[in-house]
Amino acid sequence: MSLRDQTLESAAASDDGCEGQALLSEARLSGLVDDDVDVSFLSEAMTTAKTVMSNKSGDGSELALDNLRDPNDPDDANLRAHGHEAALQRNFSPLAALGLGFSITNSWVGYLSNFGQNLIYGGPQSVVFGLLVATVVQWIITLGLSEVASAFPSAGGQYHFTYILAPPKHKKFAAFVIGAKIGASHALTLSLRIHRRVLYAVEPQEADTRRDFPHTIRARYKWLEYWDCLGNGCWKRIVGEELKHLGLEGSSTSRYAYGGTDGAIHIAEEMPRPSKNIPKAMNLTMAIGFLTAFPMSLALMFGMTSIDAVLNSSLPSAEIFYQITQSRAIVTFMMCWVILVYYMGLASQWVTAGRMTWAFARDRGIPFSQFFSYVSIHRDFPVRATILSVCFCCLYGLLYLTSTTAFNSIVTGAVLYLNITYAVPQGILFTRGRAKSLPPRALNLGALGYACNGLAPVLVTFIGIFICFPPQLPVTVSNMNYTPVILVGLFTVILGLWYTRGEKFVGPKIDWELLNLTGCK
């Protein structure tokens, strides 16, 4: 008798229902059989185990086998309606989910790392107003996405939503493209940030006599004249010359403060009541991000004494810290603190990237799907998929060694690529109709949902155009913006994967009747 049959017989004959479940779960997770056989084996085993345990219960109730999870758990029942069995423990509390989401976005730290670009684009007013515009734009997109996540909580996230909502003829291709885009975008900027901070630590700058208190007065006057201008009919200057910087280019780079607001979505299968808790985590992440990044931007601009020195610095944040404190020791402490925050946020990035890769492998979206969809029995998380994500991010970061311009373009484009995945399912939902496409859910935006879903693809397209503009003229090979090149190249790679293995991608199988019964109202 084969090991497969022995396991089934032992499970069915076991006097202890939990022991039978454990044997079957072990067989599924240990990779004794391939995907096709595993599905039929699991179905057969579930039928046998149900009969045995139902007879034991004596009350005629049917107990579902669910990988050692509570068979009556409504969260797991909702996951089954999405075509998947529960494979992970629900260990993330609502507070832990919020902590994971914000540690990925880390708005104040993220904005601290690239506000120098806004200074180049339009000066101090671009740093502040650009962040305000970015907050409104990103919150519209995130709010609409959080409602979709409330309706379809799954670790697959955006590609899962796209597969469910898209027309049958195009759903596989659209979901495959979206899934391939979002695997590793959360961790692309770490090597650049640390590199710059190390440079500042080992190459101290000479003192500059321009950083004195009379210069502070002049710098503040230059900053405040923009406010004074608003009250004295200077609209032509603001609207004519600065609108591009304030509303478009400024907000493009400022949106980096809100990168990765989808983080909580990818642990949907590891938290209780995900339909309710995912939207909370996503929107509270936006709120906390604004309340930390905006006051910091004001403090930096009012404390700056020399704009030129900041623009010419290899690390603008450290230069402004020095101008404010006039102490290199304090600056060193603050930079070490920021680096520590970056490192502490890495774990959350690996979690979400690993879960996304695992979910995509579970639906056979990547090569060696059976290997990477494995969940470690001892560690209770997808170790192989997480390691794959880490290796991919590290290789991506090595591009910095070959071209800083290309790497910076990748970093700038990372937020754009993520937002494309946020906008696509919302655009599909808007065109196909919310009423017939969304099941009962904890977050129901009603009429506001139409505004969010309709505006999301428009805003992402509009801002994406300006992200692709060159940073300066004339354009040369060394200073050109490689974002559109990378975007086209990435799409070409995805197309290659689609034509070589796209037919193996299956996507989630939705049971709409069960989904409507288990949906959180």
Side-chain angles (χ1 to χ4, degrees), residues 111 118 125-139 223 227 246-247 250-251 254-255 257-258 286 290 293-295 297-298:
Y111 198 49
N118 280 356
Q125 76 282 2
S126 182
V127 173
V128 175
F129 289 119
L131 182 60
L132 288 175
V133 174
T135 301
V136 174
V137 170
Q138 194 63 44
W139 213 328
W223 159 238
W227 296 92
L246 295 178
S251 68
S254 298
R255 288 173 69 194
Y258 302 111
M286 285 293 307
F290 175 73
F294 185 70
S297 69
L298 289 175

Coordinates of all heavy atoms in Angstrom, one line a residue, residues 111 118 125-139 223 227 246-247 250-251 254-255 257-258 286 290 293-295 297-298:
Y111 N 9.3 59.9 3.5 CA 9.4 61.3 2.9 C 10.7 62.0 3.3 O 11.2 62.8 2.5 CB 8.2 62.1 3.5 CG 7.9 63.4 2.7 CD1 7.8 63.3 1.3 CD2 7.8 64.6 3.3 CE1 7.5 64.4 0.6 CE2 7.5 65.7 2.6 CZ 7.4 65.6 1.2 OH 7.1 66.8 0.5
N118 N 11.7 67.2 -4.2 CA 10.7 68.3 -4.3 C 11.3 69.7 -4.1 O 10.8 70.6 -4.7 CB 9.7 68.1 -3.1 CG 8.7 67.0 -3.5 OD1 8.6 66.5 -4.6 ND2 7.8 66.7 -2.5
Q125 N 7.8 75.3 -0.9 CA 6.3 75.2 -1.0 C 5.9 73.9 -1.7 O 4.9 73.3 -1.4 CB 5.7 76.4 -1.8 CG 6.0 76.4 -3.3 CD 7.4 76.8 -3.7 OE1 8.2 77.1 -2.8 NE2 7.6 76.9 -5.0
S126 N 6.8 73.3 -2.6 CA 6.5 72.1 -3.2 C 6.7 70.9 -2.2 O 5.9 69.9 -2.3 CB 7.5 71.8 -4.3 OG 7.2 70.6 -5.0
V127 N 7.6 71.1 -1.2 CA 7.7 70.0 -0.2 C 6.4 69.9 0.6 O 6.0 68.8 1.0 CB 8.9 70.4 0.7 CG1 9.0 69.4 1.9 CG2 10.2 70.3 0.0
V128 N 5.8 71.1 1.0 CA 4.6 71.1 1.8 C 3.3 70.8 1.0 O 2.6 69.9 1.3 CB 4.5 72.4 2.6 CG1 3.2 72.4 3.4 CG2 5.7 72.6 3.5
F129 N 3.1 71.6 -0.1 CA 1.9 71.5 -0.8 C 1.9 70.2 -1.6 O 0.8 69.6 -1.9 CB 1.7 72.6 -1.8 CG 1.4 73.9 -1.1 CD1 2.2 75.0 -1.2 CD2 0.2 74.0 -0.3 CE1 1.9 76.2 -0.5 CE2 -0.1 75.2 0.3 CZ 0.7 76.3 0.2
G130 N 3.1 69.7 -2.1 CA 3.1 68.5 -2.8 C 2.7 67.3 -1.9 O 2.0 66.4 -2.4
L131 N 3.1 67.4 -0.6 CA 2.6 66.3 0.3 C 1.1 66.4 0.5 O 0.5 65.3 0.6 CB 3.4 66.5 1.6 CG 3.1 65.4 2.7 CD1 3.4 64.0 2.2 CD2 3.8 65.7 4.0
L132 N 0.6 67.6 0.6 CA -0.9 67.7 0.8 C -1.6 67.1 -0.4 O -2.6 66.3 -0.2 CB -1.3 69.1 1.0 CG -0.9 69.8 2.3 CD1 -1.2 71.3 2.2 CD2 -1.6 69.1 3.5
V133 N -1.2 67.4 -1.6 CA -1.9 66.8 -2.8 C -1.7 65.3 -2.8 O -2.6 64.6 -3.1 CB -1.3 67.5 -4.1 CG1 -1.9 66.8 -5.3 CG2 -1.6 69.0 -4.1
A134 N -0.5 64.8 -2.5 CA -0.2 63.4 -2.5 C -1.1 62.7 -1.5 O -1.5 61.6 -1.8 CB 1.3 63.1 -2.2
T135 N -1.3 63.3 -0.3 CA -2.2 62.7 0.7 C -3.6 62.5 0.2 O -4.2 61.4 0.3 CB -2.2 63.6 2.0 OG1 -0.9 63.7 2.4 CG2 -3.0 62.9 3.0
V136 N -4.1 63.5 -0.4 CA -5.5 63.4 -1.0 C -5.6 62.4 -2.1 O -6.5 61.5 -2.1 CB -6.0 64.8 -1.5 CG1 -7.3 64.7 -2.2 CG2 -6.0 65.8 -0.4
V137 N -4.6 62.4 -3.0 CA -4.6 61.5 -4.1 C -4.5 60.0 -3.6 O -5.3 59.1 -4.0 CB -3.5 61.8 -5.1 CG1 -3.3 60.7 -6.1 CG2 -3.8 63.1 -5.8
Q138 N -3.5 59.8 -2.7 CA -3.3 58.4 -2.3 C -4.4 57.9 -1.4 O -4.7 56.7 -1.4 CB -1.9 58.4 -1.5 CG -1.4 56.9 -1.3 CD -1.1 56.3 -2.6 OE1 -0.5 56.8 -3.5 NE2 -1.5 55.0 -2.8
W139 N -5.0 58.8 -0.6 CA -6.1 58.3 0.2 C -7.3 57.9 -0.6 O -8.0 57.0 -0.3 CB -6.5 59.4 1.2 CG -7.0 58.8 2.5 CD1 -7.6 57.6 2.7 CD2 -6.7 59.3 3.9 NE1 -7.8 57.4 4.1 CE2 -7.3 58.4 4.8 CE3 -6.1 60.5 4.4 CZ2 -7.3 58.6 6.2 CZ3 -6.1 60.7 5.7 CH2 -6.7 59.8 6.6
W223 N 10.7 81.7 2.3 CA 9.7 80.6 2.5 C 8.3 81.3 2.7 O 7.3 80.9 2.1 CB 10.1 79.7 3.6 CG 9.0 78.9 4.2 CD1 8.6 78.8 5.5 CD2 8.1 77.9 3.5 NE1 7.6 78.0 5.7 CE2 7.2 77.4 4.5 CE3 7.9 77.5 2.2 CZ2 6.3 76.5 4.2 CZ3 7.0 76.6 1.9 CH2 6.1 76.1 2.9
W227 N 3.4 82.4 1.2 CA 2.2 82.5 1.9 C 1.6 83.9 1.7 O 0.4 84.1 1.5 CB 2.4 82.2 3.4 CG 2.8 80.8 3.6 CD1 4.1 80.3 3.7 CD2 2.0 79.7 3.8 NE1 4.1 79.0 4.0 CE2 2.8 78.5 4.1 CE3 0.6 79.5 3.9 CZ2 2.3 77.3 4.3 CZ3 0.1 78.3 4.1 CH2 0.9 77.2 4.3
L246 N 3.7 72.2 -7.6 CA 2.9 72.0 -6.4 C 2.0 70.8 -6.6 O 1.9 70.0 -5.7 CB 2.1 73.3 -6.2 CG 2.8 74.5 -5.8 CD1 1.8 75.7 -5.6 CD2 3.7 74.4 -4.6
G247 N 1.3 70.7 -7.7 CA 0.2 69.7 -7.8 C 0.6 68.4 -8.5 O 0.1 67.4 -8.2
G250 N 5.5 67.7 -7.7 CA 5.7 67.6 -6.3 C 4.9 66.4 -5.7 O 5.4 65.7 -4.8
S251 N 3.7 66.3 -6.1 CA 2.9 65.2 -5.5 C 3.4 63.8 -6.0 O 3.2 62.8 -5.3 CB 1.4 65.3 -5.9 OG 1.2 65.2 -7.3
S254 N 6.1 63.1 -3.7 CA 5.6 63.0 -2.3 C 4.8 61.8 -2.0 O 4.7 61.3 -0.9 CB 4.7 64.2 -2.1 OG 5.4 65.4 -2.2
R255 N 4.3 61.1 -3.1 CA 3.5 59.9 -2.9 C 4.4 58.8 -2.4 O 3.9 57.7 -1.9 CB 2.8 59.5 -4.2 CG 1.7 60.4 -4.5 CD 1.1 60.1 -5.9 NE 0.4 58.9 -5.9 CZ 0.1 58.2 -7.0 NH1 0.4 58.8 -8.2 NH2 -0.6 57.1 -6.9
A257 N 5.8 58.9 0.3 CA 5.5 58.8 1.7 C 4.4 57.8 2.0 O 4.2 57.4 3.1 CB 5.1 60.2 2.2
Y258 N 3.7 57.4 0.9 CA 2.6 56.5 1.1 C 2.7 55.2 0.3 O 1.7 54.7 -0.2 CB 1.2 57.2 0.8 CG 1.0 58.4 1.6 CD1 1.0 59.7 1.1 CD2 0.8 58.3 3.0 CE1 0.8 60.8 1.8 CE2 0.6 59.5 3.8 CZ 0.6 60.7 3.2 OH 0.4 61.9 3.9
M286 N -2.8 55.5 6.6 CA -2.8 56.8 5.9 C -2.9 57.9 6.9 O -2.2 58.9 6.8 CB -4.0 56.8 4.9 CG -3.8 56.0 3.6 SD -2.5 56.7 2.6 CE -3.0 58.4 2.4
F290 N 0.0 60.8 7.5 CA -0.1 62.2 7.4 C 0.2 63.0 8.6 O 0.9 64.0 8.6 CB -1.5 62.5 6.9 CG -1.8 64.0 6.8 CD1 -1.3 64.8 5.8 CD2 -2.6 64.7 7.8 CE1 -1.5 66.1 5.7 CE2 -2.8 66.0 7.7 CZ -2.3 66.8 6.7
A293 N 4.2 62.8 8.8 CA 5.0 63.4 7.7 C 4.7 64.9 7.5 O 5.7 65.6 7.3 CB 4.7 62.6 6.4
F294 N 3.5 65.3 7.7 CA 3.2 66.7 7.4 C 3.8 67.7 8.4 O 4.5 68.7 8.0 CB 1.7 67.0 7.3 CG 1.3 68.4 6.9 CD1 1.6 68.8 5.6 CD2 0.8 69.2 7.8 CE1 1.3 70.1 5.2 CE2 0.4 70.5 7.4 CZ 0.7 71.0 6.1
P295 N 3.7 67.5 9.7 CA 4.4 68.3 10.7 C 5.9 68.3 10.5 O 6.5 69.3 10.7 CB 4.0 67.8 12.0 CG 2.7 67.1 11.8 CD 2.8 66.5 10.4
S297 N 7.5 67.9 7.7 CA 7.8 68.7 6.5 C 7.8 70.2 6.8 O 8.7 71.0 6.4 CB 6.9 68.5 5.3 OG 5.6 68.9 5.6
L298 N 6.9 70.7 7.7 CA 6.9 72.1 8.1 C 8.1 72.4 8.9 O 8.7 73.4 8.7 CB 5.6 72.3 8.9 CG 4.3 72.4 8.1 CD1 3.1 72.5 9.1 CD2 4.3 73.5 7.1

